[in-house]
Amino acid sequence: QVQLVESGGGLVQPGGSLRLSCAASGTIFSINTMGWYRQGPGKEREFVARITSGGTTNVADSVKGRFTISRDNAKNTVYLQMNSLKPEDTAVYYCNAIIKAYDDTVSRNFWGQGTLVTVSS
């Protein structure tokens, strides 16, 4: 019953900004690393950014300096602030989190449903 619910996707012009949010819900015992992946049309899913439970971050070289990942542990939410967006950023963005549920024996890798970000002039 653990779910990741994403919001914030949409259409934006090049150079614009969007902030994606992903909230985890359900009978959650703990959340470890949370992150974002994306998949453009005809392309493989690629890593974008991740953040550990302690706040250590990693971002892909393609978005370094433009995207910032953060989290609010009290809200079980991870954010992706996307600035200076480029057409090549167009993709379905997927939230990812490693979560242990109260009624499960191990942590599992959960994925959101994906939210479409379109960068176009």
Side-chain angles (χ1 to χ4, degrees), residues 53-71:
S53 59
T56 301
T57 63
N58 284 89
V59 298
D61 289 340
S62 59
V63 304
K64 190 172 297 182
R66 300 187 298 119
F67 290 12
T68 302
I69 188 169
S70 62
R71 65 191 288 169

Side-chain angles (χ1 to χ4, degrees), residues 4-119:
L4 299 177
V5 180
E6 298 154 326
S7 62
L11 176 65
V12 65
Q13 292 184 325
S17 297
L18 285 174
R19 188 169 88 149
L20 305 183
S21 299
C22 173
S25 62
T27 55
I28 297 170
F29 178 77
S30 63
I31 303 177
N32 200 341
T33 300
M34 305 183 81
W36 295 91
Y37 289 72
R38 67 185 183 186
Q39 187 169 20
K43 300 178 66 176
E44 297 180 358
R45 187 174 299 187
E46 65 176 353
F47 165 78
V48 176
R50 62 173 174 260
I51 182 168
T52 70
S53 59
T56 301
T57 63
N58 284 89
V59 298
D61 289 340
S62 59
V63 304
K64 190 172 297 182
R66 300 187 298 119
F67 290 12
T68 302
I69 188 169
S70 62
R71 65 191 288 169
D72 186 337
N73 291 332
K75 297 180 179 179
N76 292 333
T77 299
V78 63
Y79 306 95
L80 185 67
Q81 178 65 48
M82 304 185 294
N83 298 326
S84 302
L85 283 162
K86 304 175 181 179
E88 51 262 45
D89 295 319
T90 295
V92 176
Y93 284 72
Y94 296 92
C95 177
N96 176 75
I98 300 173
I99 300 172
K100 183 185 182 300
Y102 271 109
D103 57 352
D104 207 347
T105 57
V106 296
S107 296
R108 300 183 187 276
N109 196 336
F110 290 86
W111 291 91
Q113 77 286 351
T115 184
L116 178 63
V117 173
T118 302
V119 185

